[in-house]
Amino acid sequence: MGADTKERVDILGVGVDPLEVGELHRRLARAVRRGEHALFLNVNAHALNLLYEDEELRSFFGRAQVVFCDGAGVMLAARLLGRRIPERITYADWIWRLASLATAEGFTLYFLGGRPGVADEAARNLRRLNPGLEVRGTHHGHFDHRSGSPQNEAVIKQINAASPDILLVGMGMPLQERWLMENWERIDARVALTGGAVFDYASGRLRRGPRLLTDNGLEWLARLFIEPRRLWRRYLIGNPLFLWRVLGQRWRGHTHGG
């Protein structure tokens, strides 16, 4: 774990770094320049619910150099626990700034995830705005993820041949985290980022909801309107469960003088 983790906010047993985008960029650039083998993972309420029930994944997040906030629910949880996370860094917005950073710094990228063709479309759109952006390769996320399978080995071989500064994995939670947990030590990249639906957003295949919702902590509601059948359980059951668990953590802290 990096030296910066002492400031982390403990939410349901997961340490979350209270970062603004500028500090995230500084840490990312530093990790690449130093040639580190660093994990930069993101969490929202859904992720923290998953991690609450999975000790192995929770331990994996504890080994990450950076865990940043990608959800208004995580910011609310920090406030309820007497801490503050200054900013929600969501890939639907941040991917464009990440591409600008990579272009300016000369960092190379590899995109892994999405349906066939989506990561390619995302790369084209990002290059259109950042002509110098170097995406060294892409691969869809629909392959046999089992460790040692021929398809999995072929994907790792392609990534290592590209040897990118930044590997962006967008396969959804918890698949992307499990895949990294099983394969990261064998991958030749300086930094790995987890990005969920990042390629769907960057390719233009997935639209965001109205700004009135997305700018006011209600991105989850906008996503629920767009994909109700896939996401209703995550939000209508998961969000209240997350709040209940955070309130339980707050109560336990108070009763133990924490």
Side-chain angles (χ1 to χ4, degrees):
M1 239 185 288
D4 297 311
T5 57
K6 65 182 182 297
E7 299 177 2
R8 283 179 169 173
V9 182
D10 182 334
I11 304 175
L12 305 183
V14 178
V16 183
D17 293 289
L19 299 178
E20 296 179 344
V21 168
E23 177 62 20
L24 177 58
H25 284 184
R26 283 190 287 276
R27 293 197 193 184
L28 182 61
R30 184 175 64 196
V32 171
R33 291 194 199 103
R34 289 179 176 177
E36 296 177 12
H37 199 57
L39 293 163
F40 281 54
L41 309 179
N42 63 321
V43 289
N44 52 29
H46 174 58
L48 290 171
N49 272 339
L50 292 172
L51 295 172
Y52 185 85
E53 298 170 352
D54 192 322
E55 185 177 352
E56 189 179 26
L57 266 182
R58 203 161 60 243
S59 175
F60 176 66
F61 270 73
R63 297 196 299 272
Q65 279 69 22
V66 169
V67 178
F68 65 91
C69 167
D70 180 13
V74 180
M75 295 178 70
L76 172 62
R79 286 202 300 275
L80 290 171
L81 296 169
R83 297 290 304 276
R84 178 176 177 271
I85 292 175
E87 189 171 358
R88 173 180 71 113
I89 304 170
T90 180
Y91 273 94
D93 288 323
W94 184 51
I95 183 58
W96 310 100
R97 298 178 69 174
L98 175 62
S100 295
L101 173 72
T103 305
E105 298 286 348
F107 297 156
T108 59
L109 301 169
Y110 190 102
F111 291 168
L112 175 64
R115 296 180 301 281
V118 173
D120 285 328
E121 290 176 28
R124 281 196 296 273
N125 285 347
L126 292 166
R127 284 196 197 101
R128 199 171 297 129
L129 291 178
N130 302 275
L133 181 67
E134 187 178 353
V135 180
R136 286 191 172 174
T138 68
H139 197 285
H140 60 79
H142 291 245
F143 60 93
D144 185 348
H145 304 101
R146 290 175 301 173
S147 184
S149 75
Q151 290 184 7
N152 196 65
E153 294 303 304
V155 167
I156 292 173
K157 188 175 180 180
Q158 286 182 36
I159 295 169
N160 289 346
S163 186
D165 293 317
I166 299 169
L167 169 65
L168 179 52
V169 184
M171 297 193 291
M173 296 175 177
L175 176 58
Q176 60 196 12
E177 289 83 8
R178 287 203 167 281
W179 188 84
L180 278 172
M181 185 169 64
E182 293 172 0
N183 297 289
W184 179 231
E185 293 307 317
R186 302 169 53 214
I187 292 174
D188 181 15
R190 265 51 75 198
V191 173
L193 293 167
T194 49
V198 57
F199 305 128
D200 292 319
Y201 284 118
S203 66
R205 292 199 181 194
L206 182 60
R207 296 191 312 278
R208 295 187 77 187
R211 279 285 179 187
L212 182 65
L213 297 180
T214 60
D215 288 350
N216 290 284
L218 294 171
E219 179 107 28
W220 67 270
L221 186 58
R223 291 197 68 192
L224 182 61
F225 284 149
I226 293 168
E227 298 182 275
R229 294 179 67 180
R230 188 174 76 85
L231 298 175
W232 72 269
R233 186 181 298 274
R234 177 188 300 189
Y235 294 129
L236 298 185
I237 296 176
N239 283 0
L241 179 61
F242 174 69
L243 181 60
W244 177 255
R245 286 168 168 169
V246 170
L247 290 172
Q249 179 182 340
R250 175 180 171 174
W251 180 80
R252 287 190 301 274
H254 286 174
T255 57
H256 290 92

XYZ file of all heavy atoms in Angstrom, residues 17-54:
309
model
N -9.980 6.958 -0.817
C -9.143 8.159 -0.821
C -9.988 9.396 -1.105
O -10.687 9.437 -2.119
C -8.052 8.030 -1.884
C -7.050 6.944 -1.555
O -6.268 7.147 -0.613
O -7.061 5.888 -2.215
N -9.913 10.420 -0.244
C -10.698 11.641 -0.457
C -10.024 12.567 -1.466
O -9.380 13.552 -1.110
C -10.752 12.266 0.944
C -9.486 11.815 1.599
C -9.166 10.457 1.033
N -10.183 12.249 -2.747
C -9.433 12.920 -3.806
C -10.300 13.836 -4.653
O -11.468 13.543 -4.916
C -8.810 11.875 -4.749
C -7.820 10.881 -4.165
C -7.368 9.916 -5.248
C -6.636 11.601 -3.558
N -9.687 14.920 -5.125
C -10.208 15.682 -6.256
C -9.495 15.203 -7.516
O -8.458 14.546 -7.449
C -9.981 17.176 -6.035
C -10.742 17.725 -4.839
C -10.486 19.203 -4.619
O -9.494 19.727 -5.189
O -11.255 19.831 -3.871
N -10.040 15.550 -8.686
C -9.482 15.062 -9.950
C -8.010 15.437 -10.093
O -7.192 14.620 -10.544
C -10.296 15.590 -11.151
C -9.555 15.337 -12.455
C -11.653 14.911 -11.220
N -7.657 16.660 -9.726
C -6.269 17.105 -9.873
C -5.291 16.217 -9.113
O -4.226 15.856 -9.626
N -5.659 15.850 -7.873
C -4.788 14.978 -7.081
C -4.756 13.571 -7.653
O -3.701 12.910 -7.669
C -5.270 14.943 -5.632
C -4.476 14.019 -4.729
C -3.000 14.394 -4.585
O -2.632 15.558 -4.859
O -2.214 13.500 -4.207
N -5.889 13.093 -8.165
C -5.918 11.780 -8.822
C -4.981 11.766 -10.021
O -4.211 10.818 -10.221
C -7.342 11.439 -9.263
C -7.519 10.114 -10.027
C -7.037 8.921 -9.200
C -8.973 9.922 -10.444
N -4.994 12.832 -10.804
C -4.098 12.932 -11.963
C -2.635 12.932 -11.518
O -1.788 12.295 -12.147
C -4.405 14.192 -12.756
C -5.641 14.086 -13.585
N -6.067 15.084 -14.438
C -6.562 13.098 -13.703
C -7.181 14.706 -15.041
N -7.500 13.513 -14.599
N -2.336 13.651 -10.441
C -0.944 13.700 -9.959
C -0.475 12.312 -9.526
O 0.642 11.902 -9.836
C -0.820 14.705 -8.805
C -0.796 16.162 -9.255
C -0.433 17.099 -8.123
N -1.521 17.236 -7.156
C -2.546 18.086 -7.285
N -2.630 18.859 -8.349
N -3.478 18.162 -6.354
N -1.326 11.601 -8.808
C -0.937 10.263 -8.345
C -0.800 9.290 -9.512
O 0.099 8.450 -9.538
C -1.960 9.739 -7.331
C -1.981 10.503 -6.026
C -2.674 9.716 -4.950
N -2.964 10.533 -3.792
C -3.499 10.066 -2.670
N -3.804 8.780 -2.565
N -3.742 10.866 -1.655
N -1.700 9.421 -10.478
C -1.649 8.547 -11.646
C -0.378 8.794 -12.448
O 0.341 7.851 -12.826
C -2.887 8.792 -12.511
C -3.064 7.947 -13.768
C -3.155 6.473 -13.419
C -4.309 8.385 -14.535
N -0.071 10.067 -12.705
C 1.127 10.405 -13.471
C 2.388 9.957 -12.735
O 3.333 9.442 -13.345
C 1.170 11.912 -13.739
N 2.397 10.116 -11.437
C 3.560 9.702 -10.642
C 3.767 8.194 -10.728
O 4.903 7.716 -10.880
C 3.353 10.137 -9.192
C 4.537 9.852 -8.277
C 4.305 10.426 -6.905
N 3.164 9.788 -6.233
C 2.550 10.298 -5.158
N 2.954 11.460 -4.662
N 1.544 9.658 -4.608
N 2.684 7.439 -10.633
C 2.782 5.973 -10.694
C 3.316 5.513 -12.048
O 4.136 4.593 -12.130
C 1.415 5.349 -10.419
N 2.858 6.164 -13.126
C 3.328 5.794 -14.461
C 4.803 6.143 -14.609
O 5.607 5.317 -15.071
C 2.493 6.496 -15.552
C 3.121 6.279 -16.930
C 1.048 5.988 -15.545
N 5.186 7.356 -14.220
C 6.578 7.794 -14.400
C 7.555 6.939 -13.602
O 8.680 6.707 -14.024
C 6.716 9.264 -13.991
C 6.017 10.239 -14.925
C 6.476 11.665 -14.666
N 5.526 12.615 -15.214
C 4.632 13.309 -14.495
N 4.580 13.151 -13.184
N 3.808 14.157 -15.074
N 7.126 6.489 -12.444
C 7.999 5.667 -11.597
C 8.034 4.208 -12.046
O 8.795 3.414 -11.501
C 7.521 5.736 -10.139
C 7.770 7.079 -9.468
C 7.238 7.041 -8.042
N 7.539 8.280 -7.319
C 7.139 8.533 -6.071
N 6.430 7.620 -5.416
N 7.444 9.663 -5.481
N 7.159 3.859 -13.004
C 7.103 2.482 -13.461
C 6.523 1.536 -12.426
O 6.873 0.355 -12.367
N 5.620 2.062 -11.599
C 4.992 1.236 -10.570
C 4.048 0.207 -11.215
O 3.697 0.314 -12.388
C 4.209 2.112 -9.591
C 5.072 3.070 -8.789
C 4.256 3.969 -7.873
O 3.046 3.687 -7.685
O 4.821 4.960 -7.367
N 3.648 -0.755 -10.416
C 2.639 -1.729 -10.843
C 1.439 -1.478 -9.941
O 1.217 -2.183 -8.952
C 3.187 -3.144 -10.684
C 2.449 -4.174 -11.481
N 2.297 -4.106 -12.847
C 1.807 -5.306 -11.102
C 1.610 -5.152 -13.270
N 1.289 -5.897 -12.220
N 0.665 -0.433 -10.275
C -0.282 0.157 -9.332
C -1.727 -0.076 -9.745
O -2.067 -0.005 -10.933
C -0.018 1.663 -9.203
N -2.573 -0.311 -8.753
C -4.013 -0.463 -8.965
C -4.730 0.804 -8.544
O -4.568 1.272 -7.405
C -4.541 -1.639 -8.138
C -4.070 -3.032 -8.545
C -4.329 -4.016 -7.411
C -4.797 -3.478 -9.818
N -5.512 1.365 -9.454
C -6.354 2.522 -9.172
C -7.808 2.063 -9.363
O -8.286 1.949 -10.492
C -6.040 3.688 -10.125
C -4.812 4.478 -9.755
C -3.583 3.863 -9.559
C -4.884 5.857 -9.618
C -2.453 4.595 -9.235
C -3.761 6.606 -9.290
C -2.548 5.982 -9.090
N -8.485 1.779 -8.253
C -9.822 1.212 -8.295
C -10.863 2.258 -7.893
O -10.564 3.180 -7.135
C -9.910 0.001 -7.366
C -8.814 -1.063 -7.534
C -9.011 -2.185 -6.528
C -8.781 -1.603 -8.955
N -12.087 2.087 -8.394
C -13.160 3.024 -8.062
C -14.264 2.310 -7.304
O -14.469 1.111 -7.451
C -13.719 3.685 -9.328
C -14.352 2.692 -10.274
O -13.859 1.582 -10.451
N -15.448 3.074 -10.912
N -14.986 3.059 -6.460
C -16.099 2.482 -5.712
C -17.318 3.393 -5.756
O -17.200 4.614 -5.745
C -15.744 2.208 -4.226
C -14.783 1.053 -4.091
C -15.208 3.446 -3.536
N -18.480 2.756 -5.825
C -19.754 3.423 -5.605
C -20.510 2.591 -4.573
O -19.974 1.645 -4.003
C -20.525 3.565 -6.922
C -20.638 2.233 -7.667
O -20.644 1.163 -7.067
N -20.720 2.305 -8.986
N -21.769 2.929 -4.318
C -22.539 2.199 -3.314
C -22.673 0.724 -3.685
O -22.567 -0.161 -2.828
C -23.916 2.843 -3.148
N -22.899 0.449 -4.957
C -23.021 -0.937 -5.420
C -21.738 -1.714 -5.141
O -21.779 -2.850 -4.640
C -23.333 -0.939 -6.916
C -23.342 -2.292 -7.548
N -24.172 -3.305 -7.127
C -22.605 -2.813 -8.572
C -23.965 -4.390 -7.863
N -23.018 -4.120 -8.735
N -20.597 -1.114 -5.449
C -19.314 -1.790 -5.197
C -19.127 -2.065 -3.715
O -18.697 -3.159 -3.327
C -18.171 -0.920 -5.719
N -19.452 -1.099 -2.872
C -19.254 -1.283 -1.438
C -20.209 -2.328 -0.872
O -19.862 -3.039 0.083
C -19.390 0.061 -0.715
C -18.233 1.027 -0.999
C -18.537 2.417 -0.440
C -16.928 0.502 -0.415
N -21.389 -2.452 -1.451
C -22.280 -3.554 -1.067
C -21.662 -4.903 -1.428
O -21.703 -5.852 -0.644
C -23.641 -3.409 -1.756
C -24.621 -2.564 -0.966
O -24.483 -2.384 0.241
N -25.621 -2.030 -1.644
N -21.103 -5.000 -2.632
C -20.457 -6.241 -3.054
C -19.269 -6.585 -2.152
O -19.092 -7.741 -1.740
C -19.981 -6.124 -4.503
C -21.058 -6.036 -5.588
C -20.422 -5.716 -6.938
C -21.850 -7.336 -5.677
N -18.465 -5.580 -1.835
C -17.268 -5.808 -1.032
C -17.614 -6.156 0.415
O -16.884 -6.898 1.073
C -16.368 -4.563 -1.069
C -15.788 -4.218 -2.440
C -15.076 -2.879 -2.406
C -14.843 -5.296 -2.922
N -18.735 -5.630 0.900
C -19.188 -5.924 2.259
C -19.371 -7.425 2.456
O -19.125 -7.953 3.544
C -20.508 -5.185 2.501
C -21.041 -5.287 3.915
C -20.595 -4.414 4.908
C -22.002 -6.239 4.256
C -21.092 -4.493 6.205
C -22.506 -6.333 5.544
C -22.045 -5.458 6.509
O -22.541 -5.542 7.792
N -19.776 -8.108 1.382
C -20.086 -9.534 1.451
C -18.966 -10.425 0.896
O -19.145 -11.632 0.803
C -21.395 -9.801 0.694
C -22.583 -9.072 1.296
C -23.818 -9.127 0.423
O -23.718 -9.599 -0.729
O -24.882 -8.695 0.895
N -17.840 -9.824 0.524
C -16.760 -10.594 -0.118
C -15.417 -10.182 0.485
O -14.805 -9.201 0.067
C -16.780 -10.338 -1.628
C -15.889 -11.299 -2.397
O -14.803 -11.641 -1.895
O -16.278 -11.703 -3.509
